[in-house]
Amino acid sequence: MYIENINGPEDVKKLTIDQLPTLAEEIRHALLLRASRHMGHFGPNFGMVEATIALHYVFDSPKDKIVYDVSHQSYPHKMLTGRKDAFLYEEHYDDVSGYSNPHESEHDFFTVGHTSTSISLACGLAKGRDLKGEKGNVIAVIGDGSLSGGEALEGLDFASELQSNLIILVNDNDMSIAENHGGLYANLKLLRETNGTADCNLFKAMNLGYVYVNEGNNVSALIEAFQKVKDTTKPVVVHINTLKGKGYAPAEQNKEEWHYHAPFDIKTGQSLVTSDAPDYSSVTCEYLLDKMKKDPKVVAITAGTPTVMGFTKDKRDLAGSQFVDVGIAEETAAALASGIAANGGKPVFGVYSTFVQRTFDQVSQDICINNSPATIVTFQGSVYGMNDVTHLGFQDIPMLSNIPNLVYLAPTTKEEYLSMLDWSIEQNEHPVAIKLPGKEMISDGKTITNDWSRLNTYEVTEKGSKVAILGLGTFYGLGEEVCEKLKEAGVNATLINPHYISGLDETLLQSLKEEHSVVVTLEDGILDGGFGEKIARFYGSDDVKVLNYGLKKEFLDRYDVAAVLKANRLTREQIAEDIQKLL
Amino acid sequence: MYIENINGPEDVKKLTIDQLPTLAEEIRHALLLRASRHMGHFGPNFGMVEATIALHYVFDSPKDKIVYDVSHQSYPHKMLTGRKDAFLYEEHYDDVSGYSNPHESEHDFFTVGHTSTSISLACGLAKGRDLKGEKGNVIAVIGDGSLSGGEALEGLDFASELQSNLIILVNDNDMSIAENHGGLYANLKLLRETNGTADCNLFKAMNLGYVYVNEGNNVSALIEAFQKVKDTTKPVVVHINTLKGKGYAPAEQNKEEWHYHAPFDIKTGQSLVTSDAPDYSSVTCEYLLDKMKKDPKVVAITAGTPTVMGFTKDKRDLAGSQFVDVGIAEETAAALASGIAANGGKPVFGVYSTFVQRTFDQVSQDICINNSPATIVTFQGSVYGMNDVTHLGFQDIPMLSNIPNLVYLAPTTKEEYLSMLDWSIEQNEHPVAIKLPGKEMISDGKTITNDWSRLNTYEVTEKGSKVAILGLGTFYGLGEEVCEKLKEAGVNATLINPHYISGLDETLLQSLKEEHSVVVTLEDGILDGGFGEKIARFYGSDDVKVLNYGLKKEFLDRYDVAAVLKANRLTREQIAEDIQKLL
């Protein structure tokens, strides 16, 4: 096999152009085998095999610098830049991350995981090169789905200002994670249909050069195009037409399902792990579909990730115009929600915790200053969520809970969640965000009677003395465990479910002083700027001792949850031990 | 005068088209008089007089809903919607805010102040209308300068998905605050030069309808165009060519200077208040220009507000390619800085505190995860900064200081600032942000010898006992005053300049326990998620009492600083009193 002898881009260049399709086949075969056994991004990589080979055939990485957008399509790049073993041999599958990573290779320039960043980052590399008076190509590789994001469009607009070398490779497979949404996709379609010759051209309207390659999975055609633009002295877009999932029939046919995939049977494409257990995604969808039927003003909003709210294709069809996918455009999703709420609609924007930070300004300005009664639901905002450094879910408490006017809620069970969600949708007073807990969804069947409009009313679920434990969201369960542990030592602690992340129940906190000398906070997020520190401030000048438990402020990558919890003294034993020392 | 009889849009409609130019003249005259006596946005309003009259002549506000981007061009709108007195009579000048404001009028739909939000917000109003099955026009009014922002471009891209009524009025005066930057402006120019007929058309590339009006200050031409698009059933852009500052010669000639203007002499255009005193803007520029001369790798970056860093036109010319204005595109500014730093350049991104939140995700992902040694300087991040609710400067501590890897510094004097800035530019280990203090710049001529690479090393500036006061940034001076006050009562407090917002000097804090029973924190920002709470957490289980001083988490609007400080117990007397109670 050729791939076995490729230890860097120089080895790709040793092959003849005729040999490259075979190399592509080998790469695809390895990708397929690995994917069938190992979670990962599928479709994006399969479409980019030929383009990646052509890039390394024509350009001289790392002197020429390739920046991958999202970088979930960088597996072929990794295979050609000294990391093939992680794709060829099962025992090495975990040697590399799923994204570009400068710690792995000098051929990677950024740790990237969020979309729409590549053009602006590449502009920076190019500007750095120019300031130093150096030469070389800088190439941003961006999928059409990522183009709708604000940062990408800003970057497209800014790029021509560079007046120097920059190549923007637009990998157009006519898909985002799901289908594309947005007007620019009509233009991409027009360009594809006219072989790139249409006069109305988004990229030219941004003052950029433009080259079209219709056969985006033909390595010779790509090499020819790349050679044409190599060493360009002006920013130029190379628009290539590729097939997402190319080379594996099930992925070509069902592109959305095969964007990212669990291990599967290669012959049938059937997943090896299937789960029909309800989770927060499925209950959200079920609840909303029912609500939509009863009230035409209810609308669900996603920014390119419809299934996080459980809205698979069939469910989106059921929701019709009451489901809006703005494309990967979180800023517009938040502003849209504000506008809908301001005009009497009932919007619910569901978003991964890691992506809600992409719209901080809009949550603050468009929603919260205006007190628009929009609802945001954050998913996977937990130490138990995604564990890639670019997709962490434990930083949203400092981000959201400190924005004035926003009511940030922390349910602990399905029942609490749906009760809060229903309240939020029906009320007109506050912008509300709901932080879904991590771990498996807990459903205890309890009827929830809380009046959520009584803001910042915490709930005492177990009355004890000496020690009060505030277990927020996911960590309410940990609070229960600590209580159990303390009971073994003869301490009957008070257990509290705070429900509200963004405000203090001052009356309750005040009253705790009477029979408690220690107050403990547990939160599923970093401590800095979080919930516990507010409690520490409240008791700052009192005799009550406060112990805050949560995570250290740091970027973790592909971590082991148990190890992280232990390192942060977040096991029941450690916490109980600390408490007992104070008693 | 016609204007005296206009109490709402219905009165505009009573005039004949022939009378409207006279109304425009009256409005302009009132704007000129008011501006000459009262701070405010100038150029944006002068260009929009005719378009605003035409909007209210053709459309039926508030059933038809007009959303102004930034809304610093909404003064004529206010004059035609029941708020003329605030522009005609000096004693009423302060009755209205400088931005659109639903608390003032049913003709305003959002409190807006940041750019690039109008299209997405208008999409929301339109979607709300559609969900309710209602009719009516929704109009977003956006200047060309605001188009470069990510949210605006996302909105342009998303709009066509609505498939219903939406009118996007692009007010093209060929200027941002300063000159425009970005490729799309070449397309706007092409469209202006071809009377809107060029085939390559950014708006059509976004799948939107398009109408061009060359005489954007001709009320009849505008009325005709608006009548044509009224009740459109598909999103359409009306691109109008206007003159910024139209009708006042100095403003027409020097558009940047007259974007916003202090009171001035109408005859000469000379400002009535002039100040040549150096401030943080001027010293930043002076320092950077000098640094650029010595090192070609140093580059200053702005997102459309060059003068915040002191870079007026003449200074930008001096800096040449070492000054980059990305246009209003903060996300790209941050990513660009990361890319430049990653490729060996030395970028400094200067930004108003209120706008840095527009790029939260890029600071976190593009800069901090990658540990790119970029420098961000935040201006006016203070209770003493801008006091419109949309431009507050006291929320950046929770936002920035809780992002892992970011070193957030708080200088208290010019000398500390320049020492920190120089260190930051020259080091390669950390992303650094510097929070400039509010109030007048203090320069004490001190030689600074601190080694800023010793992260989180606080400085004890006065050694006392019992009480330790940590005075952060702007409020270091308040700390000195409190110390003085305590001395009067016989208490010699320890005074500390923390320098670092984003981390604790645990050794020092630990050692304070020996001779101090009270630790006080003072910070120029909201308490929630801020600096003081970290100190409270640190001492949570100790006997040391902690008092945190800062602002309440709330959106304030056009506030009086002294009153706000008092309400937050931030006077020296109040603080000293609280401390003494604890001793």
Side-chain angles (χ1 to χ4, degrees):
Chain A
M1 290 208 294
Y2 298 131
I3 187 67
E4 285 171 335
N5 296 312
I6 291 193
N7 295 307
E10 64 284 0
D11 295 323
V12 180
K13 293 184 175 70
K14 285 179 194 155
L15 299 177
T16 65
I17 291 186
D18 292 349
Q19 291 170 322
L20 298 180
T22 310
L23 176 63
E25 248 177 72
E26 292 174 10
I27 290 177
R28 223 169 238 123
H29 180 72
L31 284 175
L32 184 61
L33 257 184
R34 184 180 192 264
S36 73
R37 298 172 184 165
H38 192 279
M39 294 280 236
H41 281 97
F42 191 99
N45 287 297
F46 275 66
M48 271 296 291
V49 173
E50 287 81 7
T52 309
I53 294 172
L55 281 172
H56 285 296
Y57 201 78
V58 173
F59 295 101
D60 303 306
S61 178
K63 185 177 162 271
D64 293 333
K65 302 182 193 325
I66 309 170
V67 182
Y68 291 90
D69 207 278
V70 203
S71 75
H72 57 348
Q73 79 290 58
S74 65
Y75 298 5
H77 166 81
K78 293 197 178 194
M79 294 175 80
L80 300 180
T81 53
R83 289 166 280 180
K84 64 178 192 312
D85 289 0
F87 297 84
L88 295 176
Y89 312 114
E90 192 157 4
E91 64 273 25
H92 287 293
Y93 281 174
D94 283 322
D95 288 0
V96 296
S97 73
Y99 301 93
S100 69
N101 190 339
H103 302 296
E104 286 175 8
S105 167
E106 60 172 353
H107 298 279
D108 292 10
F109 301 92
F110 300 100
T111 298
V112 171
H114 284 196
T115 64
S116 312
T117 71
S118 61
I119 303 173
S120 300
L121 286 172
C123 285
L125 290 181
K127 182 74 190 176
R129 172 201 63 203
D130 297 346
L131 288 167
K132 292 188 290 178
E134 293 178 351
K135 296 281 165 207
N137 294 274
V138 176
I139 303 120
V141 178
I142 182 165
D144 51 319
S146 299
L147 277 181
S148 59
E151 186 180 359
L153 291 165
E154 284 184 4
L156 266 189
D157 177 43
F158 171 69
S160 73
E161 294 265 324
L162 280 179
Q163 304 258 16
S164 68
N165 175 281
L166 181 80
I167 296 160
I168 301 168
L169 179 60
V170 174
N171 170 30
D172 180 4
N173 57 32
D174 195 22
M175 281 293 285
S176 185
I177 297 174
E179 71 282 357
N180 277 318
H181 286 277
L184 73 84
Y185 298 102
N187 190 245
L188 294 190
K189 182 162 183 274
L190 175 70
L191 290 170
R192 289 196 307 271
E193 288 172 354
T194 59
N195 202 27
T197 62
D199 287 321
C200 189
N201 178 316
L202 174 70
F203 306 109
K204 288 186 181 174
M206 292 293 198
N207 208 23
L208 298 165
Y210 179 79
V211 171
Y212 179 74
V213 181
N214 189 49
E215 294 183 74
N217 291 105
N218 176 330
V219 76
S220 310
L222 291 163
I223 287 174
E224 198 183 318
F226 294 162
Q227 278 168 339
K228 216 184 289 173
V229 298
K230 188 178 179 181
D231 298 326
T232 174
T233 56
K234 292 219 165 169
V236 59
V237 167
V238 181
H239 176 189
I240 70 174
N241 180 13
T242 66
L243 184 64
K244 192 165 180 173
K246 162 91 179 173
Y248 186 59
E252 287 183 17
Q253 280 147 32
N254 194 339
K255 298 188 181 76
E256 180 177 351
E257 196 187 302
W258 285 84
H259 175 81
Y260 188 97
H261 212 282
F264 57 92
D265 180 288
I266 292 184
K267 272 195 194 143
T268 62
Q270 290 297 310
S271 281
L272 299 181
V273 280
T274 50
S275 163
D276 285 333
D279 58 16
Y280 281 113
S281 297
S282 66
V283 302
T284 301
C285 179
E286 196 183 336
Y287 165 84
L288 284 175
L289 279 175
D290 182 58
K291 191 90 182 161
M292 286 170 182
K293 262 192 235 159
K294 295 174 189 154
D295 187 344
K297 296 190 294 300
V298 172
V299 57
I301 301 170
T302 185
T305 57
T307 56
V308 74
M309 304 174 84
F311 279 87
T312 46
K313 182 78 179 70
D314 52 326
K315 301 294 196 313
R316 300 200 289 274
D317 290 343
L318 280 176
S321 66
Q322 287 176 271
F323 187 86
V324 180
D325 184 348
V326 298
I328 297 178
E330 289 81 1
E331 304 181 43
T332 283
L336 187 79
S338 176
I340 291 172
N343 202 9
K346 300 176 177 178
V348 178
F349 172 35
V351 58
Y352 283 105
S353 164
T354 182
F355 297 146
V356 73
Q357 70 185 36
R358 293 166 66 84
T359 180
F360 185 96
D361 192 49
Q362 291 69 34
V363 173
S364 175
Q365 295 267 324
D366 295 343
I367 295 179
C368 291
I369 285 180
N370 286 285
N371 243 325
S372 279
T375 304
I376 298 172
V377 181
T378 60
F379 291 78
Q380 299 224 25
S382 168
V383 68
Y384 297 98
M386 292 180 280
N387 74 358
D388 288 292
V389 65
T390 48
H391 288 71
L392 303 175
F394 42 80
Q395 295 168 357
D396 67 54
I397 294 182
M399 193 199 31
L400 289 179
S401 71
N402 298 315
I403 298 176
N405 291 358
L406 187 69
V407 177
Y408 199 19
L409 295 166
T412 65
T413 64
K414 169 187 159 185
E415 288 73 15
E416 281 182 5
Y417 166 49
L418 292 179
S419 167
M420 289 170 173
L421 182 58
D422 200 76
W423 167 74
S424 177
I425 289 174
E426 295 300 338
Q427 59 83 40
N428 279 306
E429 306 293 314
H430 315 283
V432 174
I434 303 176
K435 181 180 176 63
L436 289 174
K439 274 177 126 168
E440 300 74 41
M441 182 174 73
I442 296 169
S443 175
D444 57 15
K446 243 193 227 164
T447 305
I448 308 294
T449 55
N450 305 53
D451 174 4
W452 304 114
S453 69
R454 295 179 54 222
L455 298 189
N456 306 327
T457 306
Y458 298 177
E459 187 175 349
V460 177
T461 51
E462 214 172 303
K463 208 164 155 28
S465 62
K466 286 188 192 162
V467 179
I469 297 172
L470 286 80
L472 187 73
T474 315
F475 282 1
Y476 177 75
L478 180 60
E480 290 181 312
E481 293 172 14
V482 173
C483 280
E484 283 306 311
K485 197 82 199 155
L486 288 173
K487 253 184 210 134
E488 293 169 18
V491 179
N492 283 315
T494 294
L495 182 62
I496 295 167
N497 182 345
H499 299 309
Y500 298 83
I501 312 174
S502 46
L504 298 185
D505 185 338
E506 301 199 0
T507 314
L508 176 67
L509 293 177
Q510 203 65 38
S511 75
L512 287 180
K513 289 188 206 169
E514 289 164 27
E515 296 183 41
H516 301 80
S517 59
V518 179
V519 171
V520 180
T521 67
L522 309 174
E523 70 195 288
D524 187 2
I526 62 169
L527 285 168
D528 293 69
F531 173 75
E533 290 187 343
K534 289 174 183 52
I535 306 290
R537 166 160 65 94
F538 179 85
Y539 289 117
S541 57
D542 288 313
D543 291 326
V544 173
K545 308 279 191 221
V546 177
L547 289 174
N548 297 136
Y549 291 89
L551 301 173
K552 195 179 153 192
K553 178 179 77 170
E554 62 184 332
F555 288 118
L556 296 170
D557 195 14
R558 289 163 290 156
Y559 58 85
D560 174 71
V561 175
V564 166
L565 293 178
K566 200 166 173 196
N568 285 282
R569 295 196 68 74
L570 274 164
T571 68
R572 76 188 89 176
E573 291 79 13
Q574 290 168 314
I575 298 168
E577 187 189 322
D578 293 348
I579 293 170
Q580 284 174 276
K581 271 189 208 155
L582 279 185
L583 291 177
Chain B
M1 292 210 294
Y2 298 130
I3 186 67
E4 285 171 335
N5 296 312
I6 292 192
N7 294 309
E10 62 285 1
D11 294 323
V12 179
K13 294 186 176 68
K14 285 179 194 155
L15 299 178
T16 65
I17 291 186
D18 291 349
Q19 291 169 322
L20 297 179
T22 309
L23 176 63
E25 249 176 72
E26 292 174 9
I27 290 177
R28 225 171 236 121
H29 180 71
L31 285 176
L32 184 62
L33 257 184
R34 183 180 193 265
S36 73
R37 298 173 186 164
H38 192 278
M39 295 281 235
H41 282 97
F42 190 100
N45 287 296
F46 274 66
M48 270 297 290
V49 173
E50 287 82 7
T52 309
I53 294 173
L55 282 172
H56 284 297
Y57 200 80
V58 173
F59 295 101
D60 302 307
S61 176
K63 184 176 162 269
D64 293 334
K65 301 181 196 321
I66 309 170
V67 182
Y68 292 89
D69 206 277
V70 203
S71 75
H72 59 346
Q73 79 290 57
S74 65
Y75 298 5
H77 166 81
K78 293 197 178 195
M79 293 175 80
L80 301 180
T81 53
R83 288 166 281 181
K84 63 178 192 313
D85 289 0
F87 296 85
L88 295 176
Y89 312 113
E90 192 157 4
E91 64 273 25
H92 287 293
Y93 281 175
D94 284 322
D95 288 1
V96 295
S97 74
Y99 301 93
S100 68
N101 189 339
H103 302 297
E104 286 175 10
S105 166
E106 60 173 354
H107 298 279
D108 292 9
F109 300 92
F110 300 100
T111 297
V112 171
H114 283 196
T115 63
S116 313
T117 71
S118 60
I119 302 173
S120 300
L121 286 172
C123 285
L125 291 181
K127 183 73 191 177
R129 173 200 63 202
D130 297 346
L131 288 168
K132 292 188 292 179
E134 293 178 354
K135 296 280 166 208
N137 294 275
V138 176
I139 303 120
V141 178
I142 182 165
D144 52 320
S146 298
L147 278 181
S148 58
E151 186 180 358
L153 290 166
E154 284 184 4
L156 265 188
D157 177 43
F158 171 69
S160 72
E161 293 265 324
L162 281 178
Q163 303 257 17
S164 67
N165 176 282
L166 180 79
I167 296 160
I168 301 168
L169 179 59
V170 175
N171 170 30
D172 181 5
N173 57 32
D174 195 21
M175 281 294 285
S176 186
I177 297 174
E179 71 283 356
N180 278 317
H181 286 278
L184 72 86
Y185 298 103
N187 190 245
L188 295 190
K189 184 162 183 274
L190 175 70
L191 290 170
R192 289 196 308 271
E193 288 173 353
T194 58
N195 202 28
T197 62
D199 288 321
C200 188
N201 179 317
L202 174 70
F203 306 109
K204 289 187 181 172
M206 292 293 198
N207 208 23
L208 298 166
Y210 179 78
V211 172
Y212 180 74
V213 182
N214 190 48
E215 294 183 75
N217 292 106
N218 176 331
V219 76
S220 311
L222 291 162
I223 287 174
E224 197 183 317
F226 294 163
Q227 278 168 341
K228 215 183 287 174
V229 298
K230 190 178 177 180
D231 299 325
T232 173
T233 55
K234 292 221 166 168
V236 59
V237 167
V238 181
H239 176 190
I240 70 173
N241 180 12
T242 66
L243 183 62
K244 191 165 179 171
K246 163 91 179 172
Y248 186 59
E252 288 184 16
Q253 281 147 30
N254 194 339
K255 298 188 180 77
E256 180 177 351
E257 197 187 302
W258 285 85
H259 174 81
Y260 187 96
H261 212 282
F264 57 91
D265 179 288
I266 291 185
K267 272 194 195 145
T268 62
Q270 291 296 311
S271 281
L272 299 180
V273 279
T274 50
S275 162
D276 285 334
D279 58 15
Y280 281 113
S281 297
S282 65
V283 302
T284 302
C285 180
E286 196 183 336
Y287 165 85
L288 283 175
L289 279 175
D290 182 58
K291 191 90 181 163
M292 286 169 181
K293 262 192 236 159
K294 296 174 188 153
D295 187 344
K297 297 190 293 298
V298 172
V299 58
I301 300 170
T302 186
T305 57
T307 56
V308 74
M309 303 174 86
F311 279 86
T312 47
K313 182 77 177 72
D314 53 326
K315 303 294 197 312
R316 301 200 289 272
D317 290 343
L318 280 176
S321 66
Q322 286 177 271
F323 187 86
V324 180
D325 184 348
V326 298
I328 296 178
E330 289 82 1
E331 304 180 44
T332 284
L336 187 79
S338 176
I340 291 172
N343 202 7
K346 300 176 177 179
V348 179
F349 171 34
V351 57
Y352 284 104
S353 164
T354 182
F355 298 146
V356 74
Q357 70 185 35
R358 293 167 66 85
T359 180
F360 185 96
D361 193 50
Q362 291 69 34
V363 172
S364 174
Q365 295 268 324
D366 296 342
I367 295 179
C368 291
I369 285 180
N370 286 286
N371 243 324
S372 278
T375 304
I376 299 172
V377 180
T378 61
F379 291 78
Q380 300 224 25
S382 169
V383 69
Y384 297 98
M386 293 179 281
N387 74 359
D388 289 290
V389 65
T390 48
H391 288 72
L392 303 175
F394 42 80
Q395 295 168 356
D396 66 52
I397 294 181
M399 192 199 30
L400 289 179
S401 71
N402 298 316
I403 298 176
N405 290 0
L406 187 68
V407 177
Y408 199 18
L409 295 166
T412 64
T413 63
K414 169 187 159 186
E415 288 74 15
E416 280 182 6
Y417 165 50
L418 292 180
S419 166
M420 288 169 172
L421 181 57
D422 200 76
W423 167 75
S424 177
I425 289 173
E426 295 300 338
Q427 59 83 40
N428 279 305
E429 306 293 315
H430 314 284
V432 174
I434 303 176
K435 181 180 176 62
L436 288 175
K439 274 178 128 167
E440 300 75 40
M441 181 173 73
I442 296 169
S443 174
D444 57 14
K446 243 191 226 165
T447 306
I448 307 293
T449 56
N450 304 52
D451 173 3
W452 304 115
S453 69
R454 294 179 55 221
L455 298 189
N456 306 327
T457 306
Y458 299 176
E459 187 176 348
V460 177
T461 52
E462 216 174 300
K463 207 165 158 28
S465 62
K466 286 188 191 163
V467 180
I469 297 173
L470 286 80
L472 188 74
T474 316
F475 282 1
Y476 177 74
L478 179 60
E480 289 180 312
E481 293 172 13
V482 173
C483 278
E484 283 307 311
K485 197 82 198 153
L486 288 173
K487 253 183 209 136
E488 292 170 18
V491 179
N492 284 314
T494 293
L495 182 62
I496 294 166
N497 182 346
H499 298 308
Y500 298 83
I501 312 175
S502 45
L504 298 185
D505 185 339
E506 301 199 359
T507 314
L508 176 67
L509 293 177
Q510 202 66 36
S511 76
L512 287 180
K513 288 189 208 168
E514 289 164 25
E515 296 184 39
H516 302 79
S517 60
V518 179
V519 171
V520 179
T521 67
L522 308 174
E523 70 194 289
D524 186 2
I526 61 168
L527 285 167
D528 294 70
F531 173 75
E533 290 186 343
K534 289 173 183 53
I535 307 290
R537 165 160 66 94
F538 179 85
Y539 289 118
S541 58
D542 288 313
D543 291 325
V544 172
K545 308 279 191 220
V546 177
L547 290 173
N548 297 137
Y549 291 88
L551 300 173
K552 195 180 152 190
K553 178 179 76 170
E554 61 184 334
F555 287 118
L556 296 170
D557 196 13
R558 289 164 290 157
Y559 59 84
D560 174 71
V561 175
V564 166
L565 294 179
K566 201 167 172 194
N568 285 282
R569 295 196 69 74
L570 274 164
T571 69
R572 75 187 89 177
E573 291 79 12
Q574 291 169 315
I575 298 167
E577 188 190 321
D578 293 349
I579 293 170
Q580 283 173 277
K581 271 190 207 151
L582 280 185
L583 291 176

